Amino acid sequence: MPEASTRPRDAALGSGLGRVLLLVYGVFALSASARALVQITTKFGEAPLAYLLSAFAGLVYLSATVGLAIGGVRGRLIALVSCSIELLGVLVVGILTTADAGDFPDDTVWSHFGSGYGYVPLVLPFIGLWWIWRHRPQPGDPVSV
Amino acid sequence: MNGPLSVATIIAALVLAAWYLLRSALNRAPSRYDLLGAAALTALVSVLLITAVFGLFDGSRPSDTVTFIGYLITTIAFTPVAAYLARLEPTRWGSLILGVACLVIPVLVLRLQQIASVTGA
């Protein structure tokens, strides 16, 4: 039986570059969630769709952070799903907001491909997916759960 | 909030960011002086934010006080947390953590300026 305290080799928490990645993901999880919380508690009626989307984006960043941090089979799956949703989200919302601002009366992290956040939201999912790809299981690796 | 102090803070943060990114590129761990630099930046940010808090009492309230206070807390906590994490990571990546943090600080200060200038009155 493997030792419970052993961290999976692909856990981002276990390497320096991974920790930097987690810091950036954590900042986005925090800022997107906090922003959604303020929007929903103070002026939800103004733009429910945009604010719910903000909250959803915050949750996606949160689960991506956790998934990348813990690694292993389960962490990889969580991170893969979260980063894919994140990429889809930023692309779909980016296209929708650029084409027709009417549906999104207020800004979210993903509006205009994340231009309000220096386009970092557009780049971040690629980095997350790159991390997952780079740490894909190799044949002969010890199985880590 | 829009005074020379915030400009000084932004410039100091950007200069430090360039230095930390260079250190990281040269494969250097954060030195004692690098951490002292982060502490100095924290001091500068603290002075800026104390000025901003006093500004809250002179009648010109920002329209969104909750968000303003949220940003105040985040801004003041950011460099100390980054410096703590950088101490835990005594490799080039520790320097990168400090560099990223110093790139976030100008954004936070600019956002604070935006919120403060949209007064509710």
Side-chain angles (χ1 to χ4, degrees):
Chain A
M1 190 179 154
E3 252 185 77
S5 62
T6 310
R7 198 178 267 152
R9 199 181 46 82
D10 58 349
L13 209 53
S15 81
L17 179 59
R19 287 175 189 160
V20 179
L21 182 63
L22 288 180
L23 176 75
V24 179
Y25 259 99
V27 167
F28 269 86
L30 181 76
S31 59
S33 315
R35 181 179 197 177
L37 194 68
V38 170
Q39 288 172 332
I40 286 175
T41 49
T42 58
K43 44 181 182 180
F44 183 65
E46 283 176 28
L49 180 63
Y51 297 156
L52 283 177
L53 191 68
S54 276
F56 175 68
L59 286 179
V60 171
Y61 282 116
L62 212 59
S63 64
T65 312
V66 172
L68 288 170
I70 59 179
V73 172
R74 199 186 323 148
R76 281 176 62 84
L77 187 65
I78 297 173
L80 186 62
V81 171
S82 310
C83 290
S84 309
I85 295 177
E86 199 188 320
L87 182 59
L88 268 176
V90 74
L91 290 180
V92 170
V93 175
I95 290 168
L96 283 179
T97 44
T98 310
D100 173 23
D103 286 327
F104 292 92
D106 213 337
D107 274 349
T108 69
V109 218
W110 289 336
S111 301
H112 304 284
F113 300 104
S115 66
Y117 290 79
Y119 293 102
V120 176
L122 183 60
V123 180
L124 212 47
F126 286 104
I127 300 180
L129 289 172
W130 167 79
W131 178 271
I132 299 167
W133 177 78
R134 206 188 74 157
H135 294 89
R136 66 196 179 283
Q138 305 288 339
D141 270 1
V143 178
S144 55
V145 180
Chain B
M1 198 63 222
N2 290 304
L5 195 55
S6 47
V7 177
T9 310
I10 290 173
I11 291 174
L14 289 177
V15 169
L16 274 178
W19 170 250
Y20 293 141
L21 293 182
L22 181 71
R23 295 274 296 171
S24 177
L26 295 176
N27 201 1
R28 302 287 160 81
S31 69
R32 197 177 145 70
Y33 294 107
D34 290 343
L35 293 171
L36 280 177
L41 182 64
T42 310
L44 196 57
V45 169
S46 310
V47 173
L48 176 70
L49 297 192
I50 289 168
T51 327
V53 169
F54 274 114
L56 280 180
F57 293 105
D58 74 354
S60 59
R61 285 289 180 93
S63 56
D64 204 342
T65 316
V66 181
T67 312
F68 190 71
I69 292 172
Y71 268 96
L72 278 182
I73 296 171
T74 314
T75 312
I76 200 142
F78 209 85
T79 349
V81 169
Y84 174 73
L85 292 175
R87 274 195 64 186
L88 292 182
E89 181 63 43
T91 64
R92 70 189 311 176
W93 308 116
S95 299
L96 188 57
I97 288 177
L98 288 173
V100 170
C102 286
L103 286 179
V104 175
I105 289 291
V107 178
L108 290 171
V109 172
L110 285 175
R111 274 293 287 162
L112 273 169
Q113 284 185 345
Q114 269 180 12
I115 303 169
S117 61
V118 185
T119 44

